[in-house]
Structures are given as C-alpha cells and as structure tokens.
Amino acid sequence: MRSMLLCVIFCSLMESQSDCLKVVGPAASLVAVAGEDLVLPCFIRPNTSAVDMTVEWFKLDEGFSVVHFYNDHEDKNENQAESYRRRTSLFKEELPNGNASLKLSALRVSDEGEYKCLIEDKSWSDDIVVHVIVEAQGSHPVITMESYDNSGGIHLLCESRGWNPEPEVLWLTEKESL
Ligand SMILES: *[C@@H]1O[C@H](CO)[C@@H](O)[C@H](O)[C@H]1NC(C)=O
Ligand SMILES: *[C@@H]1O[C@H](CO)[C@@H](O)[C@H](O)[C@H]1NC(C)=O
C-alpha cells in the first residue's frame, strides 16, 4: 500500500504515468505436474490496461524462443516455437486489468525452465522472469535378469522411464532395510 502511494506521488511529478508502472510476477518457482495446465502469472501494477500494449512471452533457456506474442490487439504467433503450438493463450478478458498471465496447456517436461514476460508500450517496457518446474511420474520399474557371472552372481537390470526429477535408485538385499 505504501509503495503504491509513493508511486502515485512520484507519478504525479512525472510527465507520464507509465514511468512508474511495474510488471509483477510470482516470487517463487511454479511447480506443476506434466499433463496439467498451468497459469504463469504476469501483471502490471498499479492496475493499468494492457489491451493496447505488446505482451511477449519467451522461454529463456533455448536461446530466446517465442512462446506467445500479442500485439495490435491480437495474438501473432507466426514465430512461435513449434513445441508451443496451440498450447498457449492469454486471458483476453483480464487484459483491461493489466493481467497478462499466460495459460500453458498440457504441460510437458520440456516446458521446464525460465520464462520472460515482457510488456511494452510506446514509451515504457518492463519484464519479469517466471521459473517453472514440471514434475513427471515415470513408468513402473521393471526388473529383469541380464546375465550370470563366473562367481555365481547375477546381474539385474532395473528400467523405468519418464521421471522428472530423476529418481534415486537403491538396491537392497532381503536383510537390509531403509
Ligand atoms: C483493475 O481495474 C479494473 C477496472 O477499473 C477493475 O475492474 C479490476 O477489479 C481492477 N483489478 C484489480 C486487481 O485491482
Ligand atoms: C489473472 O487472470 C487469471 C485468469 O483469469 C487469474 O487466475 C489470475 O488470478 C489473475 N491474476 C491477477 C493478479 O489478477
């Protein structure tokens, strides 16, 4: 509240109000499960319409790939990275409230990483970074016997795919316990 008041005072001293607008996002990483939909929060404070602004969402850790692009009152996703096709949207009814949050559908493990939300107006721009963690439960482990060796031992193979983060593997004999 106090910072808002300071901002209003500061703004009234400035030529244009946009000098003290800020883009705000979540303080902590977002953790979600593969397959689910996720909302990546990003909004302008104080409450200012983003309808006439440009909203750009990028993924940072593959160079700088375009995740979603809104400009001139419409989505312009010709340059969107292939892996995000038909999986992103803005909440158009929320743009008048300065809410440029991104909805990302059917999360994949490859969606994990850092996303930049950049909001631009003619005379102003600001951005934030949102960190996304995508957890995935892999397949049930399957244990098979690979081979015998000369000393009478056997080699067992345990296989399971699709986990994120990677699981720890612990082999125990019948006598051992956790
Ligand atoms: C932002 O302003 C709009 C229009 O005045 C209002 O409907 C909305 O509730 C406000 N949102 C917030 C988060 O203050
Ligand atoms: C932005 O819009 C989304 C979707 O309606 C909503 O879940 C979220 O709470 C909104 N955020 C803010 C700060 O208003």
Side-chain angles (χ1 to χ4, degrees), residues 4 7 11 17-23 42-53 55 94-100 119 121 124:
M4 195 87 146
C7 183
C11 286
Q17 200 218 345
S18 65
D19 287 310
C20 63
L21 294 179
K22 276 187 85 65
V23 174
C42 176
F43 43 92
I44 307 174
R45 284 293 175 266
N47 193 348
T48 304
S49 173
V51 170
D52 300 326
M53 299 187 182
V55 176
E94 291 281 352
L95 286 177
N97 304 333
N99 184 348
I119 306 182
D121 203 359
W124 167 85

Side-chain angles (χ1 to χ4, degrees), residues 24 39-45 90-95 97-103:
V24 184
V39 175
L40 283 65
C42 176
F43 43 92
I44 307 174
R45 284 293 175 266
L90 299 179
F91 299 90
K92 294 292 158 57
E93 73 284 2
E94 291 281 352
L95 286 177
N97 304 333
N99 184 348
S101 301
L102 180 79
K103 182 177 175 188

